[in-house]
Amino acid sequence: ITPALLFKKYGNKERIHIDLDKLLDFTDKFIDVVVKEYPFIGNNSSNILKRKISDNFQASYLFYRRCRDICRKVKHKTLLATGLGNKVNRLFCAAWMSSGNDVVGFAHGNSYCNSYHNFTVIKDGMSVVNRYFAASQGQRKLLNEVISRYSYGMKMPNVEYSESNYYRPLFQDLQKA
């Protein structure tokens, strides 16, 4: 997939406009509630915050929609993903999943030492994979505890562990599937 494919002219602009309007209306109302709760933020700051969030959501949503449309056309149904902490990677994985495909995530280096935190569930991609392979049995146990404590009702993946602990055979087996 080349970046040029992701930024082609988009067909159904009316549908996108309706979806974006709903999303932006939600964020505006959310910011209004926050400002009401914390009045020291002020109107000027809340307007800047609304504009920045609006710009970010619009760019993210358009990228997600374009990726999802492309993912629906891809013949391979399983995406193997590492680096789930990157926002663009998470958006792409979410688009892949929402197009009816599977995403398998893998732990990467040094993640054991910082795995027990809500950050792992929210910002490290656990919610955008169907299956997740931990680097060790201990990490699997730790991740399952984190998921049970910090998932906040979101659907989470099955955390698995490969006894061989070598990714090459695992990647090769999953590529055949």
Side-chain angles (χ1 to χ4, degrees):
I1 297 174
T2 65
L5 287 175
L6 298 176
F7 296 102
K8 65 178 180 150
K9 287 216 175 232
Y10 203 83
N12 191 350
K13 290 183 179 181
E14 185 175 308
R15 176 68 188 162
I16 291 172
H17 185 68
I18 291 169
D19 291 346
L20 273 174
D21 283 347
K22 289 179 184 176
L23 183 64
L24 298 178
D25 185 49
F26 169 79
T27 58
D28 283 350
K29 287 177 181 175
F30 176 77
I31 297 299
D32 290 341
V33 169
V34 170
V35 169
K36 192 173 186 178
E37 184 70 25
Y38 303 99
F40 64 86
I41 294 175
N43 283 338
N44 190 35
S45 295
S46 73
N47 289 335
I48 292 169
L49 186 59
K50 283 180 183 180
R51 188 177 69 248
K52 288 186 181 230
I53 289 174
S54 167
D55 291 348
N56 193 337
F57 272 144
Q58 284 180 351
S60 297
Y61 183 72
L62 291 174
F63 180 78
Y64 165 82
R65 287 288 300 252
R66 289 175 181 152
C67 287
R68 189 183 67 188
D69 289 348
I70 291 167
C71 291
R72 286 180 175 162
K73 298 173 186 175
V74 175
K75 291 180 180 29
H76 299 288
K77 295 297 181 188
T78 303
L79 175 68
L80 307 178
T82 61
L84 296 169
N86 180 295
K87 293 175 190 175
V88 173
N89 292 358
R90 285 196 312 267
L91 278 172
F92 186 81
C93 290
W96 187 273
M97 261 181 82
S98 70
S99 64
N101 300 317
D102 290 326
V103 179
V104 179
F106 293 87
H108 52 85
N110 298 326
S111 61
Y112 192 90
C113 64
N114 60 6
S115 291
Y116 199 84
H117 195 271
N118 64 350
F119 179 87
T120 303
V121 173
I122 296 169
K123 293 189 177 182
D124 206 18
M126 295 297 278
S127 61
V128 295
V129 297
N130 305 93
R131 296 167 59 199
Y132 190 84
F133 281 89
S136 68
Q137 211 168 8
Q139 187 182 35
R140 181 179 73 181
K141 181 180 177 189
L142 191 62
L143 288 172
N144 281 325
E145 287 178 22
V146 169
I147 286 171
S148 69
R149 185 169 181 186
Y150 296 115
S151 65
Y152 305 111
M154 293 186 293
K155 185 178 177 184
M156 292 289 138
N158 296 322
V159 178
E160 302 172 41
Y161 164 69
S162 173
E163 291 293 328
S164 67
N165 203 18
Y166 294 105
Y167 287 141
R168 183 175 298 278
L170 187 59
F171 272 101
Q172 288 172 344
D173 289 344
L174 289 171
Q175 287 287 352
K176 293 175 189 175

